[in-house]
């Protein structure tokens, strides 16, 4: 169960820049600090969406999670050029009620700059990934099609996390298992998925089992196999709480795919609309208040975590 709550700072909800890259460094603008601190949130959740650029992340946030149509919501563009820059936060929190908390708590949606944008470089992507991970209570990784070596490699930015996490509260942490306590739950979303969910013996499996099968170690002793297994081992270690969900292509019409944000529901495939409802409910059920060092984060604490990760 969830509802949108009007933000006290603005009568018109909108996306605010939460992290921007300016003069060679990442910073948190004053608007974002004000948004998270002035309302005295005693507990807070963050749902972030990360993935390759131009993969429909903003559309998913707008139409599926926020139920925003046309030009409202996070920025959406029809071309190959990346639309979202930095990290953006929606000013109107979702009030979530689930088994993780006795009372409803506010949760903010976060949109991130797409990974692999041709105008940026790997260190920039790693930083965006890192900040999104550290501030999130639910981390949605958005990719297309099946889980394969390419998609696992795209997620392998996680390999850099153990070297880049140097926030004061984390400095004494050494192992992946210890670092994992600071990490959010992972929900891997596979878009435009058209394969049958079966194991190698043809048995029907769940999305979660499909993910677990993809993360199993490969047999072999070559350097290539060892590197592939390293990626798998780190993903399992960093994200002990993980799940997967699949969604079909929203529409078969190629022209409509360029204008998804403005399409009425009648233009979407029935299966996609049904999956959207299930996905929305799964997200709301899995999202918890953000915790660090056993403490529930307030809005002000979240800002400090963001500022610390920007400095490193």
């Amino acid at each position: 169960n969830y509802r949108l709550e009007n933000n006290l700072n603005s009568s018109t909800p909108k996306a605010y820049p939460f992290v921007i890259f300016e003069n060679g460094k990442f910073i948190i603008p004053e608007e974002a600090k004000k948004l998270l601190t002035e309302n005295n949130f005693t507990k807070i959740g963050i749902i972030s969406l990360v993935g390759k650029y131009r993969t429909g992340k903003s559309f998913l946030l707008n139409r599926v999670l926020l139920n925003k149509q046309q030009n409202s919501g996070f920025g959406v563009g029809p071309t190959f050029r990346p639309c979202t820059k930095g990290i953006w936060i929606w000013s109107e929190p979702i009030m979530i009620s689930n088994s993780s908390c006795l009372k409803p708590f506010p949760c903010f949606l976060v949109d991130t700059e797409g990974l692999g944008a041709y105008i940026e470089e790997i260190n920039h992507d790693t930083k965006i990934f890192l900040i999104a991970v550290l501030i999130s209570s639910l981390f949605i990784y958005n990719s297309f099609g099946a889980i394969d070596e390419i998609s696992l490699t795209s997620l392998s930015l996680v390999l850099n996390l153990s070297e880049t996490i140097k926030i004061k509260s984390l400095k004494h942490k050494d192992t992946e298992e210890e670092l994992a306590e600071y990490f959010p739950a992972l929900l891997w979303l596979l878009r435009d998925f058209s394969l049958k969910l079966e194991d190698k013996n043809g048995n029907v499996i769940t999305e979660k089992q499909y993910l677990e099968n993809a993360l199993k170690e490969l047999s072999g002793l070559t350097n290539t196999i060892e590197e592939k297994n390293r990626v798998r081992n780190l993903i399992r270690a960093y994200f002990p709480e993980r799940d997967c969900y699949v969604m079909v292509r929203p529409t078969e019409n190629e022209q409509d795919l360029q204008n998804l944000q403005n399409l009425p529901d009648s233009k979407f495939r029935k299966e996609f609309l049904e999956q959207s409802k299930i996905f929305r409910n799964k997200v709301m059920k899995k999202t918890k208040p953000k915790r660090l060092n056993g403490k529930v984060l307030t809005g002000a604490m979240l800002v400090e975590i963001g500022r610390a990760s920007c400095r490193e």
Side-chain angles (χ1 to χ4, degrees):
N1 298 322
Y2 71 99
R3 67 180 188 275
L4 292 175
E5 180 175 90
N6 290 330
N7 181 266
L8 300 180
N9 295 322
S10 174
S11 58
T12 304
K14 64 178 181 179
Y16 283 99
F18 180 71
V19 173
I20 59 176
F21 190 68
E22 189 174 84
N23 298 323
K25 60 182 180 179
F26 289 91
I27 63 171
I28 298 181
E30 289 301 321
E31 283 182 319
K33 297 176 186 176
K34 181 178 179 181
L35 174 67
L36 292 170
T37 59
E38 284 201 347
N39 288 336
N40 296 318
F41 297 117
T42 57
K43 61 183 62 175
I44 195 169
I46 294 286
I47 300 170
S48 65
L49 192 59
V50 176
K52 195 175 181 348
Y53 77 101
R54 304 308 309 151
T55 53
K57 300 188 307 301
S58 300
F59 160 74
L60 188 78
L61 286 166
N62 293 340
R63 289 300 295 268
V64 177
L65 296 181
L66 284 175
N67 196 29
K68 299 288 184 181
Q69 297 188 24
Q70 298 180 342
N71 292 322
S72 60
F74 292 96
V76 177
T79 71
F80 69 92
R81 296 181 182 277
C83 189
T84 302
K85 298 289 293 179
I87 298 178
W88 290 69
I89 186 169
W90 189 248
S91 66
E92 186 178 54
I94 295 172
M95 297 302 295
I96 293 181
S97 176
N98 59 32
S99 60
S100 70
C101 198
L102 293 176
K103 296 181 180 180
F105 63 94
C107 181
F108 287 90
L109 293 177
V110 167
D111 192 12
T112 63
E113 180 176 346
L115 306 177
Y118 69 98
I119 57 175
E120 303 296 357
E121 56 183 35
I122 187 66
N123 289 337
H124 184 98
D125 284 353
T126 302
K127 193 72 169 185
I128 293 292
F129 189 102
L130 171 64
I131 297 171
V133 163
L134 291 179
I135 66 173
S136 299
S137 47
L138 180 65
F139 183 80
I140 303 174
Y141 182 66
N142 183 69
S143 67
F144 276 119
I147 297 177
D148 54 19
E149 291 304 327
I150 294 177
S151 60
L152 287 170
T153 299
S154 296
L155 188 55
S156 66
L157 286 170
V158 75
L159 294 174
N160 299 305
L161 295 182
S162 60
E163 298 177 357
T164 55
I165 293 179
K166 296 178 181 177
I167 294 176
K168 183 178 180 180
S169 61
L170 306 183
K171 283 185 176 178
H172 67 288
K173 299 295 178 180
D174 297 315
T175 69
E176 292 88 359
E177 290 77 12
E178 289 173 319
L179 284 171
E181 69 180 86
Y182 297 95
F183 279 51
L186 169 67
L187 179 56
W188 193 330
L189 177 63
L190 302 174
R191 305 280 293 281
D192 294 8
F193 191 87
S194 58
L195 303 177
K196 290 183 178 180
L197 286 172
E198 297 178 344
D199 62 17
K200 60 182 180 181
N201 297 318
N203 300 313
V204 176
I205 57 176
T206 64
E207 291 102 330
K208 180 175 175 57
Q209 187 58 55
Y210 175 70
L211 171 61
E212 295 306 313
N213 289 347
L215 293 177
K216 287 181 179 178
E217 286 195 7
L218 305 176
S219 58
L221 299 174
T222 66
N223 291 337
T224 300
I225 293 296
E226 287 184 0
E227 180 58 28
K228 290 179 179 179
N229 285 336
R230 181 170 179 252
V231 170
R232 287 165 167 79
N233 290 335
L234 281 177
I235 292 173
R236 292 200 307 269
Y238 281 127
F239 299 107
E241 186 179 345
R242 53 186 180 268
D243 202 351
C244 181
Y245 192 68
V246 302
M247 296 178 72
V248 298
R249 179 176 288 195
T251 175
E252 297 293 354
N253 187 302
E254 292 294 332
Q255 289 185 332
D256 285 344
L257 288 173
Q258 305 300 320
N259 191 40
L260 290 175
Q261 179 65 19
N262 298 315
L263 291 182
D265 285 352
S266 60
K267 290 286 188 178
F268 291 112
R269 295 169 64 182
K270 182 180 179 181
E271 187 177 2
F272 175 80
L273 293 175
E274 292 173 349
Q275 290 175 339
S276 295
K277 291 180 182 178
I278 296 172
F279 174 72
R280 185 186 303 120
N281 290 333
K282 183 182 284 284
V283 167
M284 301 308 155
K285 185 179 293 186
K286 287 184 172 294
T287 302
K288 304 174 183 177
K290 177 67 176 179
R291 291 176 178 270
L292 278 180
N293 294 325
K295 296 180 179 180
V296 176
L297 255 65
T298 65
M301 291 167 65
L302 182 67
V303 171
E304 288 305 310
I305 292 294
R307 290 173 63 181
S309 54
C310 282
R311 287 196 299 268
E312 297 298 337

